[in-house]
Amino acid sequence: MKTKKLGMRLFISMFIMCIVTSIINFDSIKAAIYTDLPVSYIDDNFPDSYMPYINALKKAHPNWVFKAVHTGLDWNMALSHETYEVNEGISLVEDIYGAEWKRDGQNYYQDGNYVTASKQAVAYVMDPRNFLCDSGIFQFEALRYVDGVQTVEAVNGVLAPTPMGGEYKSRYKSYGTWYDLGTTYAELIHSISARVGINPVHIASRIRQENSGNIINNSLINGDYGVYNFFNIGAYDSSTGNALSNGVQYARNNGWTSISSALEGGIRYIYDKYVKWGQNTIYFERFDVNNPGTAQWLLGTGYMTNIFGAKNEASITYNAYESTGMLNNAFEFDIPVYENMPEESASMPVPSDVTFTPDNTLVYLDDPSDSGAVDEFWIRSGPDTLATLMEKIYETRDGQENRTKFTRIGIGNNTLYDKIQYEDGRIGYVLKKWIYEYQYTKVESVSLNTTYSKLNVGDTLKLEAIINPSNATDKTVTWESSNDSVATVDNSGNVRAVGEGNVTITVKTNDQSKSATCSIDVVQNKVSSISLERDEYTLKVGQSMHINPIILPSTAQNKEYSIQSEDSSVVRIDGKNIIGVSAGETIITFITDDGGYKATAKVTVNEDSSVEDIILDSSLNLENNIVSKIDINNNTVKNIKDKITTNYDMKFIDIEMLS
C-alpha cells in the first residue's frame, strides 16, 4: 500500500466532491458518463469460469460460504475506470517492478517509490478468479464483525510478528514517556471493532499493511509527538507539510492523544468512510466497484493505490487464521462478478520475451532432488514469484499413477514456469523442474513366489511379489495380513508367525490395485519340553526297561530323542532300552533331537533274583491253575499279580520286588 498516497487521494476526493456537489447536480454527471448502471445484488450464482476454483475451495473448507456480488458493470469499462485511462494515479506499483508492470514500461506519475501501473497489471489484480485460493480468497472476506469467527487469538496472530503482539502492554506516551496500556493490543482492537461492527482481524491487518510491518519505528504509532495515528490517516505530502507532520496534525485535530482514542477514531473512520458504503471487503476497498455511480467511484477514490494492497492484506489475514488453527471457521466471502468477463482470467504481466508454446501433454509433478517421503509443490496464478500462491500440493512418493495429473497447456519460453491445467479446469503455473511427462506402463497382474506355506510359531517367510509386465512403471506394492495375531507382514513382504491358526497374506499394487494372496497355516510343531513320569526307576541286573518320555507339544513334528547314562557300567543304553548291567545307581538323561530339551531320572540296579523265590501261600487254591499260564521267567512279580484273578487274598514274599 502507498501510505503517502492514501491521505492525498482522500483530501483531493473530498475537495473535488464539495466543489462538484455545490455547483452541478451529481446525478447529471453520473448520467453523462455512465448510463443505466444497475444496482449490484448478491446470490450464489457464479459464472462457469469461477466454479472450478469455488468448488475446490468448498471441498477443502466445507464451512466457508461464497456469495457472488453482481456489480452490473461491464468488465472492460470497470477496468478502464481503475486505470490511468480514466483516473491517473488510482493504481500504482513500486518503481522496482519490471517494465511489464508499468504504464508503457515507463515511470509515469512518479510519486515517491510508486509509479502508474500498466492496464494488464491492474487487470491481473482486479480479476477475482486469480485469487480464488486459500490465501487470496481473504481479500473477499466480509468485513462485518461475526462473534466467534474473528477471535482475540486471530487478531494476535496478525500482530504477533510485531511489537504490538503478545502480552506486551507498554508503549510511548507523550514525547517519549512510557505508560501502561492496561491490556493487550489484540484485546483492545477486538473490543473496539466488535463495538463498531467491523472485522478486528482486518483492522489488525490494515495496521500492519499501512506501516509495512515497521510498526514500532513509526512516530505516528509510538507516540513520539503525543498523538497516535495507526492508519496514517491524513498522512500525505502537501504544501503545508510532509506526510508525518500532516498525519500528526490530523491526529491532534481529532483528539487522538491516547492509544485507545486513536484506535477508536481510526476504526470508526474506516467503517464510516468505506465499510458502511458497501466497501465491505478488502477488495472493494481497493476497487470500489460495488458502488457504481457514487461520488467515490466516479472520482476514483479508494482506500489504497497500491495494486497489491488487497492481495498483501489477504495474505496477512490468511496467515493469522492459519497460525491460530481457525481456517475452518464459517467465513463468508463476497466475490465480485462483472458483465462480459473474458473466458479465462486475466493473465499476469510478463516480460515481452516470455511466451508459451502450446502443448497438450499429460504431466505429473516430481522433485527427485527431495529425499523426504513427501514432495511439496507450489502452484501459482502466474509465471512469477509475484503471482498468488494458488495451492500447495503434497505428494507421497508412490509413483506416477497416484500423483496428481495435469495437462501442460503451455511451455514457458524464457521463464522458469510452465502453464498447467487441473482436471477441473483451473489454470496455474509450476516450475519447469518439477514437471515430468506422464509415461506409464500399467501393471497387468501380480503373483507371489508361493501361495501356501506351513510355519511354526516363531518362523519367518520371505514373500516376493512378481509384477507383470516386468517393465511396469509403478512396481510399488503394499502388504496386508488378515490376522496379525497369527502372522504379521512388513512392507518388504517378510512374514513372521506369531500364533496358531490360518492367515491370508495379501499383496496389492498401486496400479489398478491388482492383488495376490498366500495362505499360511501356523502351528506349534516344535518341541517345547520333555519330562518323565517318575524321578526314580529300579532295575535288576540283566533286566531291560523302556521308558516313554512326555514330549510337548503333542503336535510336534520331530519327537525323536536320545538317552545317555552317566555310568554305563551300571546302566547301558541300547537304542531306547535301558539295561541294568551291575548293581549300583546312575543318572540317565533323555535329550530331544528338536531343541535339545533334557529330562533326567535316577536308576537303581539291584542284584538279580529269580522268580522261583516267589512263594504263594499254600492255603490259596488258584482256580484253573492260573500260575501255570504265566511265563514266570519273563515277568516280574508285579506283572504276575496283575494277571492273577482270585477272590482270595494273596501273600507275596520278597516285597522288594513289588516296586
Side-chain angles (χ1 to χ4, degrees):
M1 185 186 308
K2 187 98 171 23
T3 301
K4 293 167 61 178
K5 195 63 186 171
L6 165 63
M8 182 181 291
R9 296 213 57 80
L10 291 174
F11 175 79
I12 293 174
S13 65
M14 289 186 291
F15 177 75
I16 296 176
M17 193 182 304
C18 291
I19 296 176
V20 170
T21 54
S22 65
I23 300 175
I24 305 173
N25 183 283
F26 184 78
D27 288 337
S28 64
I29 295 178
K30 180 179 96 172
I33 302 177
Y34 304 109
T35 60
D36 300 324
L37 291 174
V39 178
S40 61
Y41 63 95
I42 300 177
D43 59 23
D44 298 325
N45 298 315
F46 289 93
D48 290 344
S49 60
Y50 282 64
M51 292 312 299
Y53 305 93
I54 297 294
N55 288 333
L57 287 169
K58 285 182 177 179
K59 183 178 180 180
H61 306 283
N63 294 331
W64 290 4
V65 178
F66 306 91
K67 298 291 186 180
V69 181
H70 300 271
T71 65
L73 299 176
D74 178 83
W75 166 256
N76 289 316
M77 185 271 290
L79 176 60
S80 294
H81 179 86
E82 296 292 335
T83 68
Y84 58 85
E85 293 178 343
V86 176
N87 294 294
E88 178 67 84
I90 191 175
S91 295
L92 308 178
V93 296
E94 288 188 84
D95 58 10
I96 59 174
Y97 282 67
E100 65 276 7
W101 292 91
K102 305 174 183 177
R103 175 184 176 183
D104 300 330
Q106 305 296 319
N107 287 4
Y108 280 94
Y109 195 76
Q110 186 80 37
D111 186 11
N113 296 326
Y114 285 79
V115 298
T116 302
S118 68
K119 188 174 182 177
Q120 185 179 2
V122 178
Y124 170 73
V125 297
M126 184 173 166
D127 193 329
R129 294 170 293 185
N130 287 325
F131 302 95
L132 298 180
C133 55
D134 273 3
S135 61
I137 191 69
F138 281 93
Q139 65 182 282
F140 310 115
E141 181 190 4
L143 297 186
R144 59 183 174 80
Y145 174 73
V146 180
D147 189 34
V149 175
Q150 304 123 6
T151 63
V152 174
E153 290 76 16
V155 176
N156 194 58
V158 176
L159 299 175
T162 77
M164 294 174 66
E167 297 297 317
Y168 196 76
K169 298 180 179 181
S170 298
R171 284 294 182 269
Y172 288 105
K173 193 181 179 181
S174 179
Y175 305 101
T177 301
W178 289 94
Y179 92 114
D180 187 5
L181 179 61
T183 184
T184 65
Y185 273 91
E187 292 168 339
L188 185 60
I189 291 172
H190 187 275
S191 63
I192 296 174
S193 299
R195 187 167 63 253
V196 174
I198 195 171
N199 185 335
V201 179
H202 164 66
I203 293 298
S205 299
R206 178 56 49 81
I207 293 174
R208 281 190 57 182
Q209 179 71 10
E210 282 290 341
N211 297 277
S212 301
N214 193 24
I215 291 177
I216 197 60
N217 293 322
N218 188 340
S219 294
L220 292 177
I221 287 183
N222 62 30
D224 283 346
Y225 299 94
V227 293
Y228 302 85
N229 192 338
F230 290 92
F231 304 95
N232 292 325
I233 300 174
Y236 57 88
D237 293 329
S238 70
S239 59
T240 60
N242 58 26
L244 175 61
S245 63
N246 285 338
V248 169
Q249 189 59 48
Y250 189 96
R252 188 169 288 128
N253 292 342
N254 286 274
W256 295 352
T257 57
S258 69
I259 289 175
S260 298
S261 63
L263 284 172
E264 179 95 25
I267 291 171
R268 289 193 175 278
Y269 181 94
I270 294 172
Y271 180 83
D272 291 338
K273 296 292 184 180
Y274 301 97
V275 177
K276 188 170 74 175
W277 296 98
Q279 292 178 266
N280 61 336
T281 68
I282 303 173
Y283 179 94
F284 288 142
E285 288 186 351
R286 174 59 191 85
F287 302 104
D288 190 21
V289 296
N290 201 24
N291 293 298
T294 64
Q296 286 182 297
W297 193 72
L298 287 174
L299 295 172
T301 62
Y303 194 88
M304 307 172 232
T305 55
N306 180 0
I307 64 172
F308 291 113
K311 170 181 175 295
N312 294 342
E313 283 196 33
S315 295
I316 295 173
T317 302
Y318 167 79
N319 291 333
Y321 286 132
E322 182 185 42
S323 65
T324 53
M326 299 181 182
L327 279 182
N328 289 323
N329 285 1
F331 299 110
E332 179 180 316
F333 302 99
D334 296 341
I335 305 168
V337 175
Y338 300 87
E339 301 293 329
N340 302 315
M341 297 185 73
E343 288 295 324
E344 293 188 6
S345 60
S347 60
M348 182 180 183
V350 295
S352 57
D353 61 343
V354 175
T355 59
F356 289 88
T357 302
D359 192 24
N360 195 34
T361 303
L362 191 63
V363 297
Y364 70 100
L365 306 182
D366 192 16
D367 185 7
S369 64
D370 185 4
S371 60
V374 178
D375 287 329
E376 177 183 299
F377 307 100
W378 291 22
I379 300 179
R380 296 187 176 275
S381 61
D384 193 282
T385 55
L386 292 173
T388 301
L389 178 59
M390 290 179 54
E391 186 179 11
K392 291 182 182 179
I393 293 183
Y394 300 92
E395 302 276 24
T396 57
R397 295 180 169 273
D398 55 4
Q400 296 181 41
E401 180 70 5
N402 286 336
R403 289 187 171 236
T404 306
K405 293 184 285 292
F406 305 89
T407 300
R408 181 173 58 194
I409 58 177
I411 300 174
N413 303 320
N414 300 320
T415 179
L416 298 176
Y417 291 80
D418 282 349
K419 190 176 184 180
I420 62 170
Q421 187 172 33
Y422 288 79
E423 291 182 341
D424 60 16
R426 290 177 294 162
I427 295 175
Y429 296 81
V430 180
L431 287 172
K432 290 176 177 288
K433 66 178 183 179
W434 290 338
I435 295 180
Y436 288 84
E437 187 173 346
Y438 195 85
Q439 297 176 335
Y440 203 84
T441 302
K442 295 184 178 297
V443 173
E444 296 179 2
S445 66
V446 61
S447 60
L448 292 170
N449 55 327
T450 182
T451 59
Y452 175 79
S453 184
K454 187 175 183 181
L455 300 177
N456 188 67
V457 174
D459 285 349
T460 60
L461 173 68
K462 172 67 174 178
L463 292 178
E464 295 180 0
I466 304 168
I467 304 295
N468 180 45
S470 59
N471 64 339
T473 303
D474 184 9
K475 295 183 180 181
T476 307
V477 296
T478 58
W479 298 87
E480 182 181 83
S481 169
S482 64
N483 191 340
D484 286 340
S485 65
V486 177
T488 61
V489 61
D490 65 16
N491 293 332
S492 300
N494 296 307
V495 179
R496 178 174 294 278
V498 295
E500 291 183 278
N502 180 265
V503 66
T504 299
I505 304 298
T506 302
V507 62
K508 290 183 179 180
T509 67
N510 286 328
D511 189 341
Q512 304 299 311
S513 294
K514 305 293 185 183
S515 64
T517 61
C518 176
S519 178
I520 298 176
D521 286 322
V522 179
V523 296
Q524 190 69 276
N525 61 358
K526 284 190 174 181
V527 172
S528 61
S529 67
I530 185 173
S531 63
L532 301 172
E533 289 185 343
R534 297 163 59 185
D535 295 330
E536 296 184 9
Y537 293 90
T538 301
L539 286 175
K540 292 295 183 179
V541 174
Q543 185 181 358
S544 177
M545 180 189 301
H546 182 86
I547 300 175
N548 289 319
I550 302 169
I551 297 176
L552 297 177
S554 61
T555 57
Q557 285 184 325
N558 183 7
K559 293 186 177 181
E560 293 297 319
Y561 62 92
S562 61
I563 308 173
Q564 295 179 355
S565 173
E566 287 188 358
D567 191 345
S568 58
S569 66
V570 176
V571 170
R572 178 172 62 87
I573 307 300
D574 182 10
K576 297 294 189 293
N577 295 317
I578 303 166
I579 302 171
V581 178
S582 63
E585 295 179 352
T586 189
I587 301 296
I588 58 173
T589 303
F590 290 72
I591 307 172
T592 62
D593 291 357
D594 182 4
Y597 296 95
K598 296 179 179 180
T600 62
K602 183 174 78 170
V603 178
T604 302
V605 180
N606 298 317
E607 293 291 341
D608 186 27
S609 178
S610 66
V611 295
E612 285 77 10
D613 294 334
I614 300 173
I615 301 174
L616 299 178
D617 193 310
S618 59
S619 65
L620 180 62
N621 296 317
L622 300 178
E623 297 178 357
N624 300 321
N625 195 16
I626 296 175
V627 176
S628 66
K629 299 180 182 180
I630 302 174
D631 188 358
I632 296 180
N633 291 327
N634 293 313
N635 291 276
T636 65
V637 171
K638 184 178 180 181
N639 290 336
I640 294 172
K641 177 186 177 184
D642 292 338
K643 295 180 180 182
I644 295 176
T645 58
T646 178
N647 294 323
Y648 303 95
D649 293 332
M650 292 185 293
K651 181 179 180 181
F652 295 87
I653 310 301
D654 195 358
I655 302 302
E656 183 180 334
M657 296 186 64
L658 295 179
S659 60

